[in-house]
Amino acid sequence: MHDVSIIREHLPEHIRLTNAETGCLSFKVWQAEDPLIWNVEEAFTDPAAFAHHQQRTRASNWWRATARIPRRYDISGPASE
């Protein structure tokens, strides 16, 4: 459950920064029934905006704080083609 406290501590700022990015249409994060699973749904105007988001995120406090937490992504749309 330590991972949950790390996410809760850093998530509000991560959401704020993501929503402020140019090209971010929406960014939603919610906890699943299993408290160790978090769902993320995000939309960007184009592949370049999504790439910028990924680059910014990987250089952020959020990424450093949550680096050891496993992630699993399903990316759809033009960015995944």
Side-chain angles (χ1 to χ4, degrees):
M1 292 306 246
H2 178 68
D3 290 347
V4 173
S5 65
I6 290 171
I7 291 170
R8 285 193 177 138
E9 177 183 347
H10 294 276
L11 186 59
E13 180 69 357
H14 178 56
I15 291 171
R16 185 188 73 75
L17 290 171
T18 300
N19 281 316
E21 290 176 16
T22 300
C24 178
L25 298 173
S26 68
F27 186 74
K28 300 173 187 163
V29 181
W30 66 98
Q31 200 168 13
E33 276 188 42
D34 179 334
L36 298 178
I37 296 176
W38 295 75
N39 297 296
V40 178
E41 185 177 290
E42 53 195 345
F44 293 86
T45 54
D46 54 40
F50 181 63
H52 175 266
H53 165 70
Q54 290 185 314
Q55 182 179 11
R56 184 206 57 83
T57 297
R58 282 171 176 75
S60 71
N61 288 334
W62 163 260
W63 191 263
R64 285 184 291 281
T66 63
R68 67 178 204 80
I69 299 172
R71 293 164 165 84
R72 193 172 354 167
Y73 299 104
D74 291 318
I75 299 172
S76 62
S80 66
E81 296 173 355

Coordinates of all heavy atoms in Angstrom, one line a residue:
M1 N 0.8 -1.2 0.0 CA 0.0 0.0 0.0 C 0.9 1.3 0.0 O 0.4 2.3 -0.2 CB -0.9 0.0 1.2 CG -2.0 -1.1 1.1 SD -2.9 -1.0 -0.4 CE -4.5 -0.6 0.2
H2 N 2.2 1.1 0.2 CA 3.1 2.2 0.1 C 3.0 2.9 -1.3 O 3.0 4.1 -1.4 CB 4.5 1.8 0.4 CG 5.5 2.9 0.3 ND1 5.5 4.0 1.2 CD2 6.5 3.2 -0.6 CE1 6.5 4.8 0.9 NE2 7.1 4.3 -0.2
D3 N 2.8 2.1 -2.3 CA 2.7 2.7 -3.7 C 1.5 3.6 -3.8 O 1.5 4.6 -4.5 CB 2.6 1.5 -4.7 CG 3.9 0.8 -4.9 OD1 5.0 1.3 -4.4 OD2 3.9 -0.3 -5.5
V4 N 0.4 3.2 -3.2 CA -0.8 4.0 -3.2 C -0.6 5.3 -2.6 O -1.0 6.4 -3.1 CB -2.0 3.3 -2.5 CG1 -3.2 4.2 -2.4 CG2 -2.4 2.0 -3.3
S5 N 0.1 5.4 -1.5 CA 0.4 6.7 -0.8 C 1.3 7.5 -1.7 O 1.1 8.8 -1.7 CB 1.0 6.5 0.6 OG 2.2 5.9 0.5
I6 N 2.3 6.9 -2.4 CA 3.1 7.7 -3.3 C 2.3 8.3 -4.4 O 2.4 9.5 -4.7 CB 4.2 6.8 -3.9 CG1 5.2 6.4 -2.8 CG2 4.9 7.5 -5.0 CD1 6.2 5.4 -3.2
I7 N 1.4 7.5 -5.0 CA 0.6 8.0 -6.1 C -0.3 9.1 -5.6 O -0.4 10.2 -6.2 CB -0.3 6.9 -6.7 CG1 0.6 5.9 -7.4 CG2 -1.4 7.4 -7.6 CD1 0.0 4.6 -7.9
R8 N -1.0 8.9 -4.4 CA -1.9 10.0 -3.9 C -1.1 11.3 -3.6 O -1.7 12.4 -3.8 CB -2.6 9.5 -2.7 CG -3.7 8.5 -3.0 CD -4.6 8.2 -1.8 NE -5.6 7.3 -2.3 CZ -6.1 6.3 -1.6 NH1 -5.6 6.1 -0.4 NH2 -7.0 5.6 -2.0
E9 N 0.1 11.1 -3.2 CA 0.9 12.3 -2.8 C 1.3 13.1 -4.1 O 1.2 14.4 -4.1 CB 2.2 11.9 -2.1 CG 3.1 13.1 -1.8 CD 4.4 12.7 -1.2 OE1 4.5 11.5 -0.7 OE2 5.3 13.5 -1.1
H10 N 1.6 12.4 -5.2 CA 2.2 13.1 -6.4 C 1.1 13.3 -7.5 O 1.4 14.1 -8.4 CB 3.4 12.3 -6.9 CG 4.5 12.4 -5.9 ND1 5.4 13.4 -5.9 CD2 4.9 11.5 -5.0 CE1 6.3 13.2 -4.9 NE2 6.0 12.0 -4.4
L11 N 0.0 12.6 -7.4 CA -0.9 12.6 -8.5 C -1.5 14.0 -8.8 O -1.7 14.4 -9.9 CB -2.0 11.6 -8.3 CG -3.0 11.4 -9.5 CD1 -2.3 11.1 -10.8 CD2 -4.0 10.3 -9.1
P12 N -2.0 14.7 -7.8 CA -2.6 16.0 -8.0 C -1.7 17.0 -8.9 O -2.2 17.6 -9.8 CB -2.9 16.6 -6.7 CG -3.0 15.4 -5.8 CD -2.0 14.4 -6.3
E13 N -0.5 17.1 -8.6 CA 0.4 17.9 -9.4 C 0.6 17.4 -10.8 O 0.7 18.1 -11.7 CB 1.8 18.1 -8.6 CG 2.8 19.0 -9.4 CD 2.4 20.5 -9.4 OE1 1.3 20.9 -8.9 OE2 3.2 21.2 -10.0
H14 N 0.7 16.1 -10.9 CA 0.9 15.4 -12.2 C -0.4 15.8 -13.1 O -0.2 16.1 -14.3 CB 1.1 13.9 -12.1 CG 1.2 13.2 -13.3 ND1 2.1 13.5 -14.3 CD2 0.4 12.2 -13.8 CE1 2.0 12.7 -15.3 NE2 1.0 11.8 -15.1
I15 N -1.5 15.6 -12.5 CA -2.8 16.0 -13.2 C -2.8 17.4 -13.6 O -3.1 17.8 -14.8 CB -4.0 15.6 -12.4 CG1 -4.1 14.1 -12.3 CG2 -5.3 16.2 -13.0 CD1 -5.2 13.6 -11.3
R16 N -2.4 18.3 -12.7 CA -2.4 19.8 -13.0 C -1.5 20.1 -14.1 O -1.9 20.8 -15.0 CB -2.0 20.5 -11.7 CG -2.2 22.1 -11.9 CD -1.6 22.8 -10.7 NE -0.1 22.7 -10.7 CZ 0.7 23.4 -11.5 NH1 0.2 24.2 -12.4 NH2 2.0 23.3 -11.4
L17 N -0.3 19.6 -14.1 CA 0.7 19.9 -15.1 C 0.3 19.3 -16.4 O 0.5 19.9 -17.5 CB 2.1 19.3 -14.7 CG 2.8 20.1 -13.5 CD1 4.0 19.3 -13.1 CD2 3.1 21.5 -13.9
T18 N -0.3 18.1 -16.4 CA -0.7 17.5 -17.7 C -1.9 18.3 -18.3 O -1.8 18.6 -19.5 CB -1.1 16.0 -17.5 OG1 0.0 15.3 -17.0 CG2 -1.6 15.4 -18.8
N19 N -2.8 18.6 -17.5 CA -4.0 19.4 -18.1 C -3.5 20.8 -18.6 O -4.2 21.4 -19.4 CB -5.1 19.6 -17.0 CG -5.9 18.3 -16.9 OD1 -6.3 17.8 -17.9 ND2 -6.2 17.9 -15.7
A20 N -2.4 21.3 -18.1 CA -1.9 22.6 -18.5 C -1.1 22.5 -19.8 O -0.7 23.5 -20.4 CB -1.1 23.3 -17.4
E21 N -0.8 21.3 -20.3 CA 0.1 21.1 -21.5 C -0.7 21.6 -22.7 O -1.9 21.3 -22.8 CB 0.4 19.7 -21.6 CG 1.4 19.2 -20.6 CD 1.7 17.7 -20.8 OE1 1.4 17.1 -21.8 OE2 2.3 17.1 -19.9
T22 N 0.0 22.2 -23.6 CA -0.6 22.5 -24.9 C -0.9 21.2 -25.6 O -0.1 20.3 -25.7 CB 0.4 23.3 -25.8 OG1 0.7 24.5 -25.1 CG2 -0.2 23.6 -27.1
G23 N -2.1 21.1 -26.1 CA -2.6 19.9 -26.8 C -3.3 18.9 -26.0 O -3.8 17.9 -26.5
C24 N -3.3 19.0 -24.7 CA -4.0 18.1 -23.8 C -5.5 18.4 -23.9 O -6.0 19.5 -23.5 CB -3.5 18.2 -22.4 SG -4.4 17.0 -21.3
L25 N -6.3 17.4 -24.4 CA -7.7 17.6 -24.5 C -8.4 17.1 -23.2 O -9.4 17.7 -22.7 CB -8.3 16.8 -25.7 CG -7.8 17.3 -27.0 CD1 -8.3 16.3 -28.1 CD2 -8.2 18.7 -27.3
S26 N -7.9 16.0 -22.6 CA -8.4 15.5 -21.3 C -7.4 14.6 -20.7 O -6.6 14.0 -21.4 CB -9.7 14.8 -21.5 OG -9.5 13.6 -22.3
F27 N -7.4 14.5 -19.4 CA -6.5 13.6 -18.6 C -7.3 13.2 -17.4 O -7.6 14.1 -16.5 CB -5.2 14.4 -18.3 CG -4.2 13.5 -17.6 CD1 -3.5 12.6 -18.4 CD2 -4.0 13.6 -16.3 CE1 -2.6 11.7 -17.8 CE2 -3.0 12.8 -15.7 CZ -2.3 11.8 -16.4
K28 N -7.7 12.0 -17.3 CA -8.4 11.5 -16.2 C -7.7 10.3 -15.6 O -7.2 9.4 -16.3 CB -9.8 11.0 -16.6 CG -10.6 12.1 -17.3 CD -11.9 11.6 -17.9 CE -12.6 12.8 -18.6 NZ -13.6 12.3 -19.5
V29 N -7.7 10.2 -14.2 CA -7.1 9.1 -13.5 C -8.0 8.7 -12.4 O -8.5 9.6 -11.7 CB -5.7 9.6 -12.9 CG1 -5.1 8.4 -12.1 CG2 -4.8 10.1 -13.9
W30 N -8.3 7.4 -12.3 CA -9.1 6.9 -11.2 C -8.6 5.6 -10.7 O -8.0 4.8 -11.5 CB -10.6 6.9 -11.6 CG -10.9 5.9 -12.7 CD1 -11.4 4.7 -12.5 CD2 -10.7 6.1 -14.1 NE1 -11.6 4.0 -13.7 CE2 -11.2 4.9 -14.7 CE3 -10.3 7.1 -14.9 CZ2 -11.2 4.7 -16.1 CZ3 -10.2 6.9 -16.3 CH2 -10.7 5.7 -16.9
Q31 N -8.9 5.3 -9.5 CA -8.5 4.1 -8.8 C -9.6 3.0 -9.1 O -10.8 3.3 -9.0 CB -8.4 4.3 -7.3 CG -7.6 3.3 -6.6 CD -7.3 3.8 -5.2 OE1 -7.9 4.7 -4.7 NE2 -6.4 3.1 -4.5
A32 N -9.1 1.8 -9.5 CA -10.0 0.7 -9.8 C -10.5 0.1 -8.5 O -10.1 0.5 -7.4 CB -9.3 -0.3 -10.6
E33 N -11.3 -0.9 -8.6 CA -11.8 -1.7 -7.4 C -10.6 -2.2 -6.6 O -10.6 -2.2 -5.4 CB -12.7 -2.8 -7.8 CG -14.1 -2.4 -8.0 CD -15.0 -3.6 -8.1 OE1 -14.9 -4.6 -7.4 OE2 -15.9 -3.5 -9.0
D34 N -9.6 -2.7 -7.3 CA -8.4 -3.1 -6.7 C -7.6 -1.9 -6.4 O -7.2 -1.1 -7.3 CB -7.6 -4.0 -7.7 CG -6.3 -4.5 -7.1 OD1 -5.7 -3.8 -6.2 OD2 -5.8 -5.6 -7.6
P35 N -7.3 -1.5 -5.2 CA -6.6 -0.3 -4.8 C -5.2 -0.1 -5.4 O -4.7 1.0 -5.3 CB -6.6 -0.3 -3.3 CG -6.8 -1.7 -2.9 CD -7.6 -2.4 -4.0
L36 N -4.7 -1.2 -5.9 CA -3.3 -1.1 -6.5 C -3.3 -0.9 -8.0 O -2.3 -0.8 -8.6 CB -2.5 -2.4 -6.2 CG -2.3 -2.7 -4.7 CD1 -1.5 -4.0 -4.5 CD2 -1.5 -1.5 -4.0
I37 N -4.5 -0.8 -8.5 CA -4.7 -0.5 -10.0 C -5.3 0.9 -10.2 O -6.3 1.2 -9.6 CB -5.5 -1.6 -10.6 CG1 -4.8 -3.0 -10.5 CG2 -5.8 -1.2 -12.1 CD1 -5.6 -4.1 -11.1
W38 N -4.7 1.6 -11.0 CA -5.1 3.0 -11.4 C -5.3 3.0 -12.9 O -4.5 2.5 -13.7 CB -4.1 4.0 -11.0 CG -3.9 4.1 -9.5 CD1 -3.2 3.2 -8.7 CD2 -4.4 5.1 -8.6 NE1 -3.3 3.6 -7.4 CE2 -4.0 4.7 -7.3 CE3 -5.2 6.2 -8.8 CZ2 -4.3 5.5 -6.2 CZ3 -5.5 7.0 -7.7 CH2 -5.1 6.6 -6.4
N39 N -6.4 3.6 -13.3 CA -6.8 3.7 -14.7 C -6.5 5.1 -15.2 O -6.7 6.1 -14.4 CB -8.2 3.4 -15.0 CG -8.6 2.0 -14.6 OD1 -8.1 1.1 -15.2 ND2 -9.4 1.8 -13.6
V40 N -5.9 5.3 -16.3 CA -5.6 6.6 -16.9 C -6.2 6.6 -18.3 O -6.1 5.7 -19.1 CB -4.1 6.8 -17.0 CG1 -3.8 8.2 -17.7 CG2 -3.4 6.7 -15.7
E41 N -7.0 7.7 -18.5 CA -7.5 7.9 -19.9 C -7.1 9.4 -20.3 O -7.4 10.3 -19.5 CB -9.0 7.8 -19.8 CG -9.7 7.9 -21.2 CD -11.2 7.7 -21.1 OE1 -11.6 6.6 -20.8 OE2 -11.9 8.7 -21.2
E42 N -6.4 9.5 -21.4 CA -5.9 10.8 -21.8 C -6.1 10.9 -23.3 O -6.1 10.0 -24.0 CB -4.4 10.9 -21.4 CG -3.6 9.8 -21.9 CD -2.2 9.8 -21.3 OE1 -1.8 10.8 -20.6 OE2 -1.5 8.8 -21.4
A43 N -6.3 12.2 -23.7 CA -6.4 12.5 -25.1 C -5.7 13.8 -25.4 O -5.7 14.7 -24.6 CB -7.9 12.7 -25.4
F44 N -5.0 13.7 -26.6 CA -4.2 14.9 -27.0 C -4.6 15.2 -28.4 O -5.1 14.4 -29.2 CB -2.7 14.5 -26.9 CG -2.2 14.4 -25.5 CD1 -2.3 13.2 -24.8 CD2 -1.7 15.5 -24.8 CE1 -2.0 13.0 -23.5 CE2 -1.3 15.3 -23.5 CZ -1.5 14.1 -22.8
T45 N -4.3 16.4 -28.8 CA -4.7 16.9 -30.1 C -4.1 16.2 -31.3 O -4.7 16.0 -32.4 CB -4.5 18.4 -30.3 OG1 -3.1 18.7 -30.0 CG2 -5.3 19.2 -29.4
D46 N -2.8 15.8 -31.1 CA -2.1 15.1 -32.2 C -0.9 14.3 -31.6 O -0.6 14.5 -30.4 CB -1.6 16.1 -33.2 CG -0.8 17.3 -32.6 OD1 0.0 17.0 -31.7 OD2 -1.1 18.4 -33.0
P47 N -0.2 13.5 -32.4 CA 0.9 12.7 -31.9 C 2.0 13.6 -31.3 O 2.7 13.2 -30.4 CB 1.4 12.0 -33.2 CG 0.1 11.9 -34.0 CD -0.6 13.2 -33.8
A48 N 2.2 14.8 -31.9 CA 3.3 15.6 -31.3 C 3.0 16.1 -29.9 O 3.9 16.1 -29.0 CB 3.5 16.9 -32.2
A49 N 1.7 16.4 -29.6 CA 1.3 16.8 -28.3 C 1.5 15.6 -27.3 O 1.9 15.8 -26.2 CB -0.1 17.3 -28.3
F50 N 1.1 14.4 -27.8 CA 1.3 13.3 -26.9 C 2.8 13.0 -26.7 O 3.2 12.7 -25.5 CB 0.6 12.1 -27.6 CG 0.7 10.8 -26.7 CD1 0.1 10.7 -25.5 CD2 1.4 9.7 -27.2 CE1 0.2 9.6 -24.7 CE2 1.5 8.5 -26.5 CZ 0.9 8.5 -25.2
A51 N 3.6 13.1 -27.7 CA 5.1 12.9 -27.5 C 5.6 13.9 -26.5 O 6.5 13.5 -25.7 CB 5.8 13.0 -28.9
H52 N 5.2 15.1 -26.6 CA 5.7 16.2 -25.7 C 5.2 15.8 -24.3 O 6.0 15.9 -23.3 CB 5.1 17.5 -26.0 CG 5.4 18.6 -25.0 ND1 4.6 18.9 -24.0 CD2 6.6 19.3 -24.9 CE1 5.2 19.8 -23.2 NE2 6.4 20.1 -23.8
H53 N 4.0 15.3 -24.1 CA 3.6 14.9 -22.8 C 4.5 13.8 -22.2 O 4.9 13.8 -21.1 CB 2.1 14.4 -22.9 CG 1.7 13.6 -21.7 ND1 1.5 14.2 -20.4 CD2 1.4 12.3 -21.5 CE1 1.1 13.2 -19.6 NE2 1.1 12.1 -20.2
Q54 N 4.7 12.8 -23.0 CA 5.6 11.7 -22.6 C 7.0 12.2 -22.2 O 7.5 11.7 -21.2 CB 5.7 10.6 -23.6 CG 4.4 9.8 -23.8 CD 4.5 8.7 -24.7 OE1 5.1 8.8 -25.8 NE2 3.9 7.5 -24.3
Q55 N 7.5 13.1 -23.0 CA 8.9 13.6 -22.7 C 8.8 14.4 -21.4 O 9.7 14.2 -20.6 CB 9.3 14.5 -23.9 CG 10.7 15.1 -23.7 CD 11.1 15.9 -24.9 OE1 10.3 16.2 -25.7 NE2 12.4 16.3 -24.9
R56 N 7.8 15.3 -21.2 CA 7.7 16.1 -20.0 C 7.6 15.2 -18.8 O 8.2 15.3 -17.8 CB 6.6 17.1 -20.1 CG 6.6 18.0 -18.8 CD 5.2 18.5 -18.5 NE 4.1 17.6 -18.3 CZ 3.9 16.9 -17.2 NH1 4.7 17.1 -16.1 NH2 2.9 16.1 -17.1
T57 N 6.7 14.2 -18.9 CA 6.4 13.3 -17.8 C 7.7 12.6 -17.4 O 8.0 12.5 -16.2 CB 5.3 12.3 -18.2 OG1 4.1 13.0 -18.5 CG2 5.1 11.3 -17.1
R58 N 8.5 12.1 -18.3 CA 9.7 11.3 -17.9 C 10.8 12.2 -17.3 O 11.7 11.6 -16.7 CB 10.2 10.5 -19.1 CG 9.3 9.3 -19.4 CD 9.6 8.6 -20.7 NE 8.8 7.4 -20.8 CZ 7.5 7.3 -21.1 NH1 6.8 8.4 -21.2 NH2 6.9 6.1 -21.2
A59 N 10.6 13.5 -17.4 CA 11.6 14.4 -16.7 C 11.0 15.0 -15.5 O 11.5 15.9 -14.9 CB 12.0 15.5 -17.7
S60 N 9.9 14.4 -15.0 CA 9.2 15.1 -13.9 C 9.4 14.4 -12.5 O 9.9 13.3 -12.4 CB 7.7 15.0 -14.2 OG 7.2 13.7 -14.1
N61 N 9.0 15.1 -11.5 CA 9.0 14.5 -10.1 C 8.1 13.3 -10.0 O 8.4 12.4 -9.3 CB 8.5 15.6 -9.1 CG 9.6 16.6 -8.9 OD1 10.8 16.4 -9.1 ND2 9.2 17.8 -8.5
W62 N 7.0 13.4 -10.8 CA 6.0 12.3 -10.8 C 6.7 11.0 -11.3 O 6.6 10.0 -10.6 CB 4.9 12.6 -11.8 CG 4.1 11.4 -12.2 CD1 4.2 10.7 -13.4 CD2 3.1 10.7 -11.4 NE1 3.3 9.7 -13.4 CE2 2.6 9.7 -12.2 CE3 2.5 10.9 -10.2 CZ2 1.6 8.8 -11.8 CZ3 1.5 10.1 -9.7 CH2 1.1 9.0 -10.5
W63 N 7.5 11.1 -12.3 CA 8.2 9.9 -12.9 C 9.2 9.4 -11.9 O 9.3 8.2 -11.7 CB 8.8 10.3 -14.2 CG 9.3 9.0 -14.9 CD1 10.5 8.5 -15.0 CD2 8.5 8.2 -15.7 NE1 10.6 7.4 -15.7 CE2 9.3 7.1 -16.2 CE3 7.1 8.2 -16.1 CZ2 8.9 6.1 -17.0 CZ3 6.7 7.1 -16.9 CH2 7.6 6.1 -17.4
R64 N 10.0 10.3 -11.3 CA 11.0 9.8 -10.3 C 10.3 9.2 -9.1 O 10.8 8.2 -8.6 CB 11.9 11.0 -9.9 CG 12.8 11.4 -11.0 CD 13.8 12.5 -10.5 NE 13.1 13.8 -10.3 CZ 12.8 14.6 -11.3 NH1 13.1 14.3 -12.6 NH2 12.2 15.8 -11.1
A65 N 9.2 9.7 -8.6 CA 8.6 9.2 -7.4 C 7.9 7.9 -7.7 O 7.9 7.0 -6.8 CB 7.6 10.2 -6.9
T66 N 7.4 7.7 -8.9 CA 6.7 6.4 -9.2 C 7.4 5.5 -10.1 O 6.9 4.5 -10.6 CB 5.3 6.8 -9.9 OG1 5.6 7.5 -11.1 CG2 4.5 7.7 -9.0
A67 N 8.7 5.7 -10.3 CA 9.5 4.9 -11.3 C 9.4 3.4 -11.0 O 9.4 2.6 -12.0 CB 11.0 5.4 -11.2
R68 N 9.4 3.0 -9.8 CA 9.4 1.5 -9.5 C 8.0 0.9 -9.6 O 7.9 -0.3 -9.5 CB 10.0 1.2 -8.2 CG 9.3 1.7 -7.0 CD 10.0 1.3 -5.7 NE 9.1 1.3 -4.6 CZ 8.2 0.3 -4.3 NH1 8.2 -0.8 -5.0 NH2 7.4 0.3 -3.3
I69 N 7.0 1.7 -9.8 CA 5.6 1.1 -9.9 C 5.4 0.7 -11.3 O 5.6 1.5 -12.3 CB 4.6 2.2 -9.5 CG1 4.8 2.6 -8.0 CG2 3.2 1.7 -9.7 CD1 4.0 3.8 -7.6
P70 N 5.0 -0.6 -11.5 CA 4.8 -1.1 -12.9 C 3.7 -0.3 -13.6 O 2.7 0.1 -13.0 CB 4.4 -2.6 -12.7 CG 4.8 -2.9 -11.3 CD 4.8 -1.6 -10.5
R71 N 3.9 -0.2 -14.9 CA 2.9 0.5 -15.8 C 2.6 -0.5 -16.9 O 3.4 -1.2 -17.4 CB 3.4 1.8 -16.3 CG 3.6 2.8 -15.3 CD 4.5 3.9 -15.8 NE 4.5 5.1 -15.0 CZ 5.3 5.4 -13.9 NH1 6.1 4.4 -13.5 NH2 5.2 6.5 -13.3
R72 N 1.3 -0.4 -17.4 CA 0.9 -1.2 -18.6 C 0.0 -0.3 -19.4 O -0.9 0.3 -18.9 CB 0.1 -2.4 -18.1 CG 0.0 -3.4 -19.2 CD -0.6 -4.7 -18.8 NE -0.8 -4.7 -17.3 CZ -1.5 -5.6 -16.7 NH1 -2.1 -6.5 -17.3 NH2 -1.5 -5.6 -15.3
Y73 N 0.4 -0.1 -20.6 CA -0.3 0.9 -21.5 C -1.0 0.2 -22.7 O -0.4 -0.7 -23.2 CB 0.7 1.9 -22.1 CG 1.5 2.7 -21.1 CD1 2.8 2.5 -20.8 CD2 0.9 3.8 -20.4 CE1 3.5 3.2 -19.9 CE2 1.5 4.6 -19.5 CZ 2.9 4.3 -19.2 OH 3.5 5.1 -18.4
D74 N -2.1 0.8 -23.1 CA -2.7 0.5 -24.3 C -2.9 1.8 -25.0 O -3.7 2.6 -24.5 CB -4.1 -0.2 -24.1 CG -3.9 -1.6 -23.6 OD1 -3.0 -2.3 -24.0 OD2 -4.7 -2.0 -22.7
I75 N -2.2 2.1 -26.1 CA -2.3 3.3 -26.7 C -3.0 3.1 -28.0 O -2.7 2.2 -28.8 CB -0.9 3.9 -27.0 CG1 -0.1 4.1 -25.7 CG2 -0.9 5.2 -27.8 CD1 1.3 4.5 -25.8
S76 N -4.0 4.0 -28.3 CA -4.7 3.9 -29.6 C -4.8 5.2 -30.2 O -4.5 6.3 -29.6 CB -6.1 3.4 -29.3 OG -6.8 4.3 -28.5
G77 N -5.1 5.2 -31.5 CA -5.1 6.5 -32.3 C -3.9 6.6 -33.1 O -3.0 5.8 -33.2
P78 N -3.7 7.8 -33.7 CA -2.6 8.0 -34.7 C -1.3 7.9 -34.0 O -0.3 7.5 -34.7 CB -2.8 9.5 -35.1 CG -4.3 9.7 -34.9 CD -4.7 8.9 -33.7
A79 N -1.1 8.1 -32.7 CA 0.2 8.0 -32.1 C 0.7 6.6 -32.0 O 1.9 6.3 -31.9 CB 0.1 8.6 -30.6
S80 N -0.2 5.6 -32.1 CA 0.2 4.2 -32.0 C 0.4 3.5 -33.4 O 0.7 2.4 -33.5 CB -0.9 3.4 -31.2 OG -2.1 3.4 -31.9
E81 N 0.1 4.3 -34.4 CA 0.2 3.7 -35.8 C 1.6 3.7 -36.3 O 2.4 4.5 -36.0 CB -0.8 4.4 -36.7 CG -2.2 4.2 -36.3 CD -3.3 5.0 -37.0 OE1 -2.9 5.8 -37.9 OE2 -4.4 4.8 -36.8

